[in-house]
Amino acid sequence: MNARILSGKDIAESIKSEVAADIARLKTEYGFAPCLAVVRVGDDPASAVYVGNKVRTSEEIGLVSEHHHLPENVSRAELVGLVRSLNWREEVDGILVQLPLPDQINEREIIEMIDPDKDVDGFHPVNVGRLSQGEKSLVPCTPAGVIEILKRSEIEIGGKNAVIVGRSNIVGKPMAMLLLQENATVTICHSRTRDLPEMTRRADILVAAIGRPGFIRGEHIGEGATVIDVGINNVSDVDLARDLFGDDEIEKRLAAIEKRGFTLVGDVNPREAKEKAGNFTPVPGGVGLLTVAMLMKNTVEAAKTRRGVE
Ligand code: GUN
């Protein structure tokens, strides 16, 4: 089998242009553009890149965006004050506090303080509860992006065996809820699962969200399965890179390690997945691109719901 590569690029571009058209229409019909406020604390380099992407994409598609950057040693009171003021401000439709937060801040307290109607990450317990009960809610962006990739690539979900490896609140658990809503038979596997390869080989749709580079190997993949790789790991080990990439890609990867010190690798061994899977999302260029596109979509959805317009 030589897997079809499901590129996130075209799908993310389509979603962004649909959202841009919707924003233009809201401006014409109702005289407002939705507003997204992004909060970043400290100088985590990965967070700086992610937030930069979010702010830049907002501007590209016509959202109003605000970037609030607080120092690493910010007090709880200061961050709480900012979130409260964003909750109160009528013109702010979406609030995103980039995680992780520094140790002195209780992440859960901050997430629970965000107005659920502005919670464009879908992390607030009210939105988690609504999603699990099948109600309209703001849905976490990465798993929502996975559903878009499956649907727009015309991969059937209903009645299929979907197996998710990883049970995080950001990806694994909401992914399970969304696949269930699409009538898949859903299994969640994790570090305590016995005989993981036996479980994952049953999957028609296998979602890997573990956070370990190349963890899912050929032995985990059923012939012809759709493999969705949610992992984003920095790999600097040349031997590991050689093990993960075939002749078609290894030179490019080694050059990246040489130049930047690392190459971006998913949770799936790409060389082995290409041999066994029917469909496969690459890293980079797969699910990651959808996350920002879905954040834009969520912000417009939040704005419409809050302001009572269609
Ligand atoms: N950090 C890593 N992923 C995310 C995400 O989706 N949202 C937020 N707020 N922080 C993150």
Side-chain angles (χ1 to χ4, degrees), residues 112-184:
E112 294 191 11
M113 186 167 289
I114 296 171
D115 178 345
D117 293 337
K118 299 187 178 187
D119 167 38
V120 284
D121 260 328
F123 293 165
H124 191 286
V126 166
N127 285 315
V128 176
R130 284 180 184 151
L131 174 63
S132 77
Q133 294 183 336
E135 299 294 327
K136 184 173 156 57
S137 67
L138 289 164
V139 176
C141 302
T142 300
V146 171
I147 297 291
E148 290 291 331
I149 292 185
L150 293 172
K151 287 190 170 170
R152 292 178 190 233
S153 306
E154 297 186 338
I155 293 165
E156 213 173 296
I157 308 174
K160 300 295 182 191
N161 287 336
V163 178
I164 301 154
V165 188
R167 53 177 156 178
S168 70
N169 290 330
I170 295 183
V171 182
K173 287 181 204 162
M175 188 76 258
M177 286 304 158
L178 287 173
L179 287 163
L180 184 61
Q181 215 164 62
E182 298 294 334
N183 303 308

